[in-house]
Amino acid sequence: MMKLRAASSCILSCLLVLFLSSVSAVSDDSQDRQVYVVYMGSLPSRADYTPMSDHMSILQEITGESSIEGRLVRSYKRSFNGFAARLTESERDRIVEMEGVVSVFPSKKLQLHTTASWDFIGLKEGDRTKRNHTVESDTIIGVIDSGITPESQSFSDKGFGPPPMKWKGVCSGGENFTCNNKLIGARDYTSEGTRDTEGHGTHTASTAAGNAVADTSFFGLGNGTVRGGVPASRIAAYKVCDQAGCSSEALLSAFDDAIADGVDLITISIGDKSAQNFENDPIAIGSFHAMTKGILTVVSAGNSGPKDSTVSAVGPWMLTVAASTTNRGFFTKVVLGNGKILVGKSVNAFDMKGMKYPLVYGKAAALSTCDAETAELCYPDCLNRSFVKGKILVCGSPRGLKIAESLGAVALIFNSSKPDVAFIHPLPASGLSKTEFGSLLSYIESADSPRAAVLKTEAIYNQTSPVVSSFSSRGPNTIAFDILKPDITAPGVEILAAYSPYGELSEYDTRHVKYSVLSGTSMSCPHVAGVAAYVKTFYPKWSPSMIQSAIMTTAWPVNATGTGIASTEFAYGSGHVDPIAALNPGLVYELDKADHIAFLCGLNYTSDVLKIISGETVTCSEEKKILPRNLNYPSMSAGVLRYNNSFTVTFNRTVTNVGTPNSTYKSKVVPGHGSKLSVTVTPSVLSFETVNEKKSFKVTVTGRDLSSELPSSANLIWSDGTHNVRSPIVVYTDGY
Ligand SMILES: *[C@@H]1O[C@H](CO)[C@@H](O)[C@H](O)[C@H]1NC(C)=O
Ligand SMILES: *[C@@H]1O[C@H](CO)[C@@H](O)[C@H](O)[C@H]1NC(C)=O
Ligand SMILES: *[C@@H]1O[C@H](CO)[C@@H](O)[C@H](O)[C@H]1NC(C)=O
Ligand SMILES: *[C@@H]1O[C@H](CO)[C@@H](O)[C@H](O)[C@H]1NC(C)=O
Ligand SMILES: *[C@@H]1O[C@H](CO)[C@@H](O)[C@H](O)[C@H]1NC(C)=O
Ligand SMILES: *[C@@H]1O[C@H](CO)[C@@H](O)[C@H](O)[C@H]1NC(C)=O
Ligand SMILES: *[C@@H]1O[C@H](CO)[C@@H](O)[C@H](O)[C@H]1NC(C)=O
Ligand SMILES: *[C@@H]1O[C@H](CO)[C@@H](O)[C@H](O)[C@H]1NC(C)=O
Ligand SMILES: *[C@@H]1O[C@H](CO)[C@@H](O)[C@H](O)[C@H]1NC(C)=O
Ligand SMILES: *[C@@H]1O[C@H](CO)[C@@H](O)[C@H](O)[C@H]1NC(C)=O
Ligand SMILES: *[C@@H]1O[C@H](CO)[C@@H](O)[C@H](O)[C@H]1NC(C)=O
């Protein structure tokens, strides 16, 4: 699906496989009907209630038709109540008024957004990492995505016993689709069957929980053992995306089923281009229900960075993941005729044996119908094949990828719009940064007969610290200003993992592979899902918020590509995931459903909207409300008014001791970005006699002259000498 979109317009600018873009309503061709989600909140507890017949009778009443075949698209009846149906606008207006109906919203299309990475983040293979295999194999990861490749070695069930007793799902993957004791469940909400014909869902599932598969590579590149975070865990695949995208109504069905099927955790690398109000966001609604059932949902932040305010998963009841590099990078060198070497990015497994070929810059190959400026960017239908054939085409933009092969070019060198990420291309290619591209142009201008060789990609393992990638969506949160999002970053650049042999590798690429290299927050999300599952295997009773807190407060500090807001906590939240440290957080910030409702009340949501999100009737009394920034979240953030030169904000928090009895934690504040914040913590020392004991404290932050360009930050660290429980504190002003 992504591939189609890439083919039509955006190539590199869309990161090839990625995340979300259009938000178009799904409409019925023939009549003026479109698919609406009729959401009815929680399931009534009455024993005699039969959701399906209720849905049918509502539809019959509204449409006046006795046969509602073709109208009812699906019923939600397992974890919450509602249905999706084809309705006209006037039918929609009437259905909103009906008893029991909480909201009606159009189904829209969302979009989809490895494996040295696990070693890099500290989850090593073998005896250096402690694991409880028995518990791990009782853990089930629900993957809501583009389906899965059941034959992949990553999902072989060699050595697996029967599915866990608690499993209540099914294998209904369609024709030629067989589950096994590793891939224990499959459901399809498209009409294609659960088989992944794209590659995305296979990649994300194998990153979270795929088996360890030795001697894997992409045509020799990145060779090694590919594996998921919890290789002994089981996988259930829920296919919601097809060529056209991922519809809201399908997403809600997948949540409805996954929760009832008994998954322990949901990973979802899908989202909208920017944050939507919670009541219109199927992922926010689905993950809220999952949270109430003790299931953590891990969601990708989106690929719309480095622009600010682009993070699309913003509810505090989900764990939102940004994407960063690992210590391995793919680099593709270009050797010029004069011996100079330029280093570009791509995943190029084609071996041209170092042969040099003549270079031709787009504008030197222009057809008479094209001006030089258009030709130098290599617009389609702009270049004369007779100048390009047998040469290396040089283009001022990635557009050349569309035409280089058909014009008979032997290779392509282009000015990359994303020079920090390597992509797969159908011919030898290297994407240069603006500066390197400038050097190439100077050489072409100065040389008599400019020539170059494009070398095979080298995997270089010398990048020291992870850096959040430019494409990763940034905060601030546009819906709940005082909740810092994204929450965490994880490897999402040049990740080798399982792929669908039916999927296209890249635009016009006829190669088929079982393992491929992809980049995106889609790839980082299942890393954190794997870590969350790993933590859960040690603490099966921990609530979603405890797991989330453990992951966030033990994250490493990181940097991000970009300037201004793009280089701050709005890129990486609490920092980089550390699976081993997350097993031993010391203290956790706990939250339950009532806390989230008090938070939503504090955002002044009306009871209608609250009902949509929580699925039940809620009255927001004054004592029930909390200031959003007092939600007991593991990070602290506040938007303050710009005209206030000086400001004071406070955060109330409560921590639970999950470490050792008789421990004493002292607070410490470390400065971060922007103008100086003065932070006081009361009390500044917390003593716990027992495990599970809770202690509250208040953080008061004062400062002045906040920049509108950069948030100001600090870190609060509670330390008992063994554990360092770190929370970023971020204060910002956007002039609102
Ligand atoms: C694994 O966890 C189970 C259940 O908590 C426990 O009974 C068992 O002893 C653990 N095994 C190991 C090796 O820690
Ligand atoms: C199912 O598998 C059979 C045998 O491999 C093949 O002939 C058939 O085309 C497949 N059907 C689908 C829908 O893939
Ligand atoms: C990958 O292949 C290269 C060349 O064959 C070899 O030197 C290297 O050790 C391999 N790496 C791994 C991790 O297997
Ligand atoms: C392409 O260039 C060749 C060689 O200069 C020329 O003969 C031909 O007419 C050009 N083709 C077009 C379509 O301009
Ligand atoms: C290269 O691309 C950048 C944008 O990514 C643009 O600013 C620059 O002008 C381009 N350089 C050339 C020579 O086309
Ligand atoms: C490490 O990477 C840098 C570029 O990031 C490169 O200049 C340097 O040569 C590399 N070092 C090694 C030992 O590969
Ligand atoms: C972030 O970048 C700065 C400046 O390059 C560097 O001093 C610092 O060590 C980096 N921090 C981390 C955590 O990598
Ligand atoms: C909610 O409404 C109260 C009272 O009108 C107001 O003080 C507060 O700022 C509002 N909160 C938000 C988050 O808009
Ligand atoms: C603005 O400053 C006043 C006085 O210091 C303070 O009471 C108020 O809370 C501030 N408002 C915000 C939004 O920070
Ligand atoms: C914050 O905590 C303080 C002290 O525990 C308490 O007095 C105050 O009411 C709390 N504020 C809110 C908004 O919960
Ligand atoms: C904690 O300290 C109390 C009082 O000093 C003592 O009675 C208790 O045994 C200690 N608990 C543990 C687990 O050491």
Side-chain angles (χ1 to χ4, degrees):
M1 73 218 67
M2 293 314 119
K3 300 300 159 87
L4 272 190
R5 186 158 286 110
S8 59
S9 60
C10 51
I11 307 199
L12 277 190
S13 62
C14 295
L15 281 199
L16 293 185
V17 178
L18 304 175
F19 187 68
L20 230 319
S21 60
S22 61
V23 183
S24 56
V26 190
S27 59
D28 200 64
D29 309 333
S30 50
Q31 284 129 324
D32 265 353
R33 290 179 196 152
Q34 69 172 57
V35 177
Y36 286 96
V37 173
V38 180
Y39 178 65
M40 302 172 69
S42 294
L43 280 167
S45 45
R46 304 195 324 260
D48 63 341
Y49 182 78
T50 48
M52 188 82 173
S53 57
D54 190 26
H55 302 161
M56 286 164 63
S57 70
I58 291 176
L59 264 181
Q60 279 163 345
E61 188 179 333
I62 282 295
T63 61
E65 295 164 14
S66 57
S67 163
I68 48 142
E69 211 171 301
R71 293 292 209 125
L72 186 64
V73 178
R74 51 183 103 245
S75 274
Y76 311 118
K77 49 185 187 288
R78 303 184 68 203
S79 303
F80 43 86
N81 195 13
F83 59 94
R86 293 194 174 82
L87 302 172
T88 64
E89 262 182 57
S90 78
E91 287 164 351
R92 183 214 43 199
D93 294 346
R94 278 178 291 136
I95 225 164
V96 177
E97 304 296 322
M98 292 186 72
E99 198 188 324
V101 172
V102 170
S103 72
V104 180
F105 55 88
S107 180
K108 55 186 183 172
K109 292 285 187 191
L110 310 193
Q111 305 289 314
L112 292 170
H113 284 248
T114 301
T115 325
S117 49
W118 286 111
D119 288 310
F120 173 66
I121 69 179
L123 206 50
K124 313 267 191 227
E125 213 182 352
D127 57 6
R128 288 168 65 196
T129 304
K130 57 174 180 164
R131 286 185 188 271
N132 185 324
H133 192 273
T134 315
V135 182
E136 191 169 312
S137 86
D138 273 345
T139 303
I140 306 163
I141 316 274
V143 183
I144 301 180
D145 209 301
S146 68
I148 196 162
T149 305
E151 298 80 13
S152 172
Q153 254 188 292
S154 291
F155 313 123
S156 138
D157 69 351
K158 197 160 165 270
F160 283 81
M165 298 293 283
K166 65 185 177 190
W167 176 240
K168 295 193 282 292
V170 296
C171 183
S172 62
E175 212 182 314
N176 285 357
F177 191 105
T178 317
C179 294
N180 60 31
N181 286 331
K182 167 81 186 176
L183 173 58
I184 59 173
R187 293 184 188 267
D188 174 39
Y189 308 93
T190 68
S191 51
E192 298 180 338
T194 312
R195 178 173 297 284
D196 181 13
T197 53
E198 206 273 338
H200 190 274
T202 303
H203 205 275
T204 56
S206 68
T207 299
N211 297 320
V213 181
D215 297 326
T216 316
S217 69
F218 178 78
F219 296 106
L221 297 177
N223 57 329
T225 297
V226 156
R227 67 195 156 93
V230 278
S233 293
R234 320 294 177 120
I235 294 169
Y238 299 85
K239 178 165 171 177
V240 296
C241 306
D242 59 18
Q243 296 275 332
C246 325
S247 72
S248 313
E249 40 98 1
L251 273 159
L252 274 175
S253 275
F255 273 104
D256 185 34
D257 283 328
I259 295 166
D261 285 349
V263 304
D264 292 290
L265 199 124
I266 292 171
T267 181
I268 178 160
S269 292
I270 298 172
D272 225 321
K273 195 157 205 159
S274 59
Q276 304 298 308
N277 284 321
F278 295 136
E279 69 269 30
N280 295 324
D281 178 349
I283 298 175
I285 294 171
S287 60
F288 193 97
H289 283 276
M291 176 271 294
T292 66
K293 301 282 164 58
I295 302 165
L296 178 64
T297 303
V298 185
V299 191
S300 49
N303 299 329
S304 306
K307 211 167 159 299
D308 62 78
S309 311
T310 46
V311 57
S312 63
V314 296
W317 50 87
M318 48 182 123
L319 181 52
T320 305
V321 190
S324 44
T325 54
T326 67
N327 59 339
R328 180 181 74 194
F330 287 122
F331 296 90
T332 305
K333 289 178 184 157
V334 172
V335 183
L336 304 183
N338 62 7
K340 189 174 157 71
I341 294 174
L342 304 175
V343 181
K345 295 285 289 179
S346 70
V347 182
N348 173 37
F350 299 107
D351 191 353
M352 300 175 74
K353 314 270 184 223
M355 271 274 285
K356 291 200 176 73
Y357 291 86
L359 291 166
V360 57
Y361 190 21
K363 71 178 175 187
L367 288 171
S368 52
T369 48
C370 268
D371 58 39
E373 268 165 36
T374 323
E376 90 191 11
L377 298 173
C378 298
Y379 271 81
D381 304 325
C382 235
L383 306 187
N384 184 335
R385 183 183 164 90
S386 57
F387 292 115
V388 176
K389 191 165 181 295
K391 298 184 185 155
I392 297 177
L393 179 61
V394 175
C395 297
S397 80
R399 280 189 192 82
L401 287 162
K402 280 180 193 280
I403 53 167
E405 253 201 321
S406 64
L407 293 176
V410 293
L412 177 78
I413 305 173
F414 62 97
N415 178 21
S416 177
S417 52
K418 301 212 178 292
D420 59 340
V421 189
F423 295 94
I424 294 170
H425 306 298
L427 79 171
S430 183
L432 301 183
S433 68
K434 209 161 89 176
T435 322
E436 296 277 87
F437 191 72
S439 312
L440 176 66
L441 293 188
S442 315
Y443 166 70
I444 292 176
E445 274 158 29
S446 64
D448 288 339
S449 54
R451 297 169 74 80
V454 175
L455 303 189
K456 202 171 159 178
T457 293
E458 293 167 57
I460 292 175
Y461 284 85
N462 83 341
Q463 304 180 123
T464 47
S465 61
V467 176
V468 176
S469 194
S470 57
F471 63 74
S472 188
S473 287
R474 301 320 205 248
N477 190 327
T478 52
I479 305 291
F481 305 120
D482 291 345
I483 299 296
L484 181 64
K485 289 281 171 173
D487 292 305
I488 190 99
T489 186
V493 178
E494 299 156 15
I495 304 300
L496 178 68
Y499 201 68
S500 166
Y502 302 94
E504 269 179 37
L505 257 186
S506 67
E507 228 191 344
Y508 309 125
D509 203 326
T510 54
R511 294 174 292 172
H512 294 285
V513 296
K514 293 179 175 168
Y515 289 87
S516 187
V517 177
L518 300 181
S519 296
T521 54
S522 285
M523 283 66 240
S524 58
C525 171
H527 276 92
V528 172
V531 172
Y534 178 67
V535 173
K536 197 173 164 71
T537 62
F538 289 87
Y539 306 104
K541 299 232 152 58
W542 276 15
S543 69
S545 67
M546 292 169 85
I547 296 173
Q548 176 161 358
S549 176
I551 290 174
M552 287 169 65
T553 62
T554 57
W556 326 322
V558 280
N559 280 331
T561 306
T563 54
I565 275 182
S567 66
T568 66
E569 286 82 1
F570 288 141
Y572 47 73
S574 292
H576 192 284
V577 68
D578 182 344
I580 301 297
L583 292 182
N584 198 8
L587 305 175
V588 292
Y589 295 81
E590 287 189 77
L591 284 170
D592 61 15
K593 180 176 165 186
D595 297 316
H596 286 295
I597 288 181
F599 159 79
L600 291 167
C601 286
L603 284 176
N604 296 337
Y605 275 97
T606 62
S607 41
D608 286 353
V609 173
L610 271 164
K611 204 170 167 187
I612 299 177
I613 303 162
S614 69
E616 59 192 59
T617 305
V618 177
T619 324
C620 293
S621 58
E622 277 311 309
E623 55 274 19
K624 215 180 239 172
K625 275 190 187 186
I626 56 163
L627 274 179
R629 63 171 170 265
N630 281 334
L631 182 74
N632 198 36
Y633 208 60
S635 58
M636 299 170 208
S637 178
V640 300
L641 293 175
R642 185 184 215 164
Y643 59 74
N644 258 18
N645 274 338
S646 59
F647 63 88
T648 299
V649 286
T650 59
F651 301 91
N652 276 14
R653 291 291 187 273
T654 301
V655 281
T656 308
N657 179 23
V658 293
T660 44
N662 289 342
S663 50
T664 298
Y665 283 82
K666 294 196 175 104
S667 63
K668 184 168 93 174
V669 175
V670 177
H673 296 103
S675 52
K676 190 179 176 326
L677 298 177
S678 153
V679 180
T680 50
V681 183
T682 353
S684 62
V685 176
L686 300 175
S687 292
F688 300 87
E689 281 174 21
T690 59
V691 173
N692 293 326
E693 190 179 345
K694 292 180 195 295
K695 284 277 158 84
S696 296
F697 62 92
K698 186 166 99 171
V699 176
T700 306
V701 182
T702 56
R704 51 181 301 111
D705 301 328
L706 282 182
S707 147
S708 59
E709 307 300 317
L710 201 67
S712 291
S713 65
N715 291 283
L716 166 63
I717 301 167
W718 285 108
S719 179
D720 67 348
T722 308
H723 306 95
N724 288 302
V725 189
R726 188 173 62 90
S727 293
I729 303 170
V730 178
V731 183
Y732 71 103
T733 180
D734 64 353
Y736 68 92

